[in-house]
Amino acid sequence: RYLLEQDFPGMRIGPEPTTDSFIAVMYGETEGNIPGNALVVDPKKPFRKLGRFGNAFLNRFMCSQLPNEVLKSISIIDSPGILSGEKQRISRGYDFCQVLQWFAERVDRIILLFDAHKLDISDEFSEAIKSFRGQDDKIRVVLNKADQVDTQQLMRVYGALMWSLGKVIDTPEVLRVYIGSFWAHPLRNTDNRRLFEAEAQDLFRDIQSLPQKAAVRKLNDLIKRARLAKVHAYIISYLKKEMPSVFGKENKKKELINKLPEIYIQLQREYHISAGDFPEVKKMQEQLENCDFTKFHSLKPKLIETVDNMLANKIASLMNLIRQEESNMPTEMVHGGAFDGTMAGPFGHGYGEGAKEGADEEEWVVAKDKPAYDEIFYTLSPINGKISGISAKKEMVASKLPNSVLGKIWKLADCDGDGMLDDEEFALAKHLIKIKLDGYELPGTLPSHLVPPSHRKPFQTAE
């Protein structure tokens, strides 16, 4: 709702437990709903495979279409809220985690939403997060409603969230958590406004880059599936080879299923395959219970060779084609809704802050602090109105900034490149040091509004 900046059909948002439906929010010329059963038979929609989850799921699945600019670039799957307690898990009537897993394998980004003022990872939420195993690179976490707690409480909530997630998501790296208040109402607590704005911009950039990376991700999925298919072929053919031709088939089947971890190790050694390419043992054992091993196919080395050739040669040329296409096409970004709210104008992120301060003022922004900087300048014994690099260094090093940063500041401040600083250049250097100490980034090149007045004409002509 926050991203689209408009209501969509079927939407219900409230503090009480609301929707128990999966809603695919997609672009459409006219506003309306398509129920789940009709959706899975529509060849133009990518949901046909969801039919296997049955009526209990399809009754709680729908597509919400509306003419919104954001939805021209991305589609959003809104999953039901997850509550604590055993009742919710039993009363759904379909395998909730399996449905989440199906979507997780196909989407570009998974966003987990937590409320800062009621942080709780229930058993079902734990199970849901575990169903995203193998898709860890797609997961982003949003700590929402962060304006409802103060800074001290927010630090504790963030720490508690990271601790809880660490127990559920078993990865060595830390998940990216975006902190903010993602709705259009006034902030209750404005202490962290700057943090919320920066975090929202980071999240928007992450979502906006998705259309550009879609082709590469599909190629990545193709490679993943090809490797998995190859490993499946080795496992299936091995099980077929080990089966007796006449008697004791059932006993042998049970024995092979129990020995599956050892079979994995044997195949890894024989075919030099990484352990990470094999399907999960427990899941594979469950699926093999219902299979007739005698109907499995024997290994076809020619097909394996074709897959190896594809992975070794064809994928590289496909990658080059994608790169060429991307360079010839305009950069595709998500537009509309909340994405346009902070793009330009004085409310753009960082406008009037750091190096951008004073950009729309006629007076040189450094002038207000120049008298204080001049006092320091004249203590450094200027000769002919300029101080040497050695004198400037002694003063600049007092800021405790690393030499790499001070070197960049010197380069920006020494406008005429004579290796010395006059009073205006020195004031500019002090201003840039202040910008860096306040936690802002330095510009790559000196913006025109920061150029000292006495250096403006020659500087602009040289440019």
Side-chain angles (χ1 to χ4, degrees), residues 407-415 428 432 442-447 459:
K408 189 177 179 184
I409 289 170
W410 174 270
K411 203 173 168 186
L412 291 169
D414 186 11
C415 298
L428 173 61
L432 292 170
L442 293 171
T445 54
L446 194 66
F459 183 79

Side-chain angles (χ1 to χ4, degrees), residues 103-272:
F103 279 116
E105 285 168 3
R106 288 157 180 82
V107 297
D108 292 282
R109 188 65 77 237
I110 299 164
I111 298 176
L112 302 176
L113 283 154
F114 291 89
D115 281 3
H117 66 298
K118 40 178 196 210
L119 194 65
D120 173 35
I121 299 186
S122 65
D123 294 346
E124 191 179 36
F125 204 176
S126 257
E127 290 301 313
I129 295 171
K130 281 174 188 168
S131 68
F132 300 143
R133 194 163 283 152
Q135 314 294 336
D136 307 317
D137 57 317
K138 296 178 182 178
I139 298 176
R140 302 288 183 273
V141 177
V142 170
L143 185 58
N144 198 12
K145 303 180 186 174
D147 64 319
Q148 300 195 7
V149 293
D150 63 34
T151 308
Q152 190 180 13
Q153 289 169 326
L154 185 60
M155 284 177 68
R156 288 184 178 145
V157 167
Y158 179 79
L161 175 64
M162 297 308 284
W163 181 80
S164 303
L165 287 170
K167 295 183 80 175
V168 180
I169 300 174
D170 191 19
T171 55
E173 70 273 11
V174 176
L175 277 174
R176 177 66 166 99
V177 177
Y178 299 94
I179 302 166
S181 179
F182 295 93
W183 67 343
H185 294 264
L187 300 176
R188 285 196 190 177
N189 192 322
T190 55
D191 295 353
N192 300 305
R193 185 184 188 115
R194 209 179 121 201
L195 168 72
F196 297 163
E197 283 172 7
E199 292 283 285
Q201 283 303 314
D202 285 354
L203 180 61
F204 284 178
R205 272 195 292 272
D206 189 59
I207 296 171
Q208 282 184 305
S209 66
L210 293 178
Q212 290 170 263
K213 296 173 184 169
V216 176
R217 191 193 63 78
K218 283 171 186 166
L219 189 62
N220 188 47
D221 277 359
L222 174 68
I223 298 163
K224 211 192 283 184
R225 288 171 78 91
R227 290 170 71 149
L228 197 59
K230 200 171 100 173
V231 171
H232 267 276
Y234 287 134
I235 297 166
I236 297 304
S237 60
Y238 181 89
L239 297 173
K240 160 86 172 174
K241 192 174 71 182
E242 293 294 305
M243 286 299 282
S245 50
V246 187
F247 302 111
K249 290 180 184 177
E250 273 306 309
N251 290 338
K252 187 66 179 174
K253 177 181 165 179
K254 282 177 188 167
E255 187 193 320
L256 286 169
I257 289 171
N258 292 333
K259 272 175 63 185
L260 199 61
E262 295 161 43
I263 294 168
Y264 276 15
I265 294 163
Q266 194 178 325
L267 292 172
Q268 282 169 37
R269 287 188 192 135
E270 194 177 335
Y271 297 106
H272 311 291

Side-chain angles (χ1 to χ4, degrees), residues 6-9 24-34 45 63-68 71-72:
Q6 75 174 95
D7 292 352
F8 54 87
V25 188
M26 303 177 84
Y27 184 82
E29 293 299 328
T30 53
E31 205 169 297
N33 273 338
I34 305 170
K45 295 278 189 291
C63 175
S64 183
Q65 289 188 318
L66 65 157
N68 185 292
L71 299 173
K72 283 183 178 178

Side-chain angles (χ1 to χ4, degrees), residues 425-442:
E425 288 175 326
F426 177 76
L428 173 61
K430 291 291 282 180
H431 181 73
L432 292 170
I433 287 171
K434 183 175 174 285
I435 286 172
K436 192 65 190 169
L437 292 175
D438 286 346
Y440 296 101
E441 287 305 312
L442 293 171

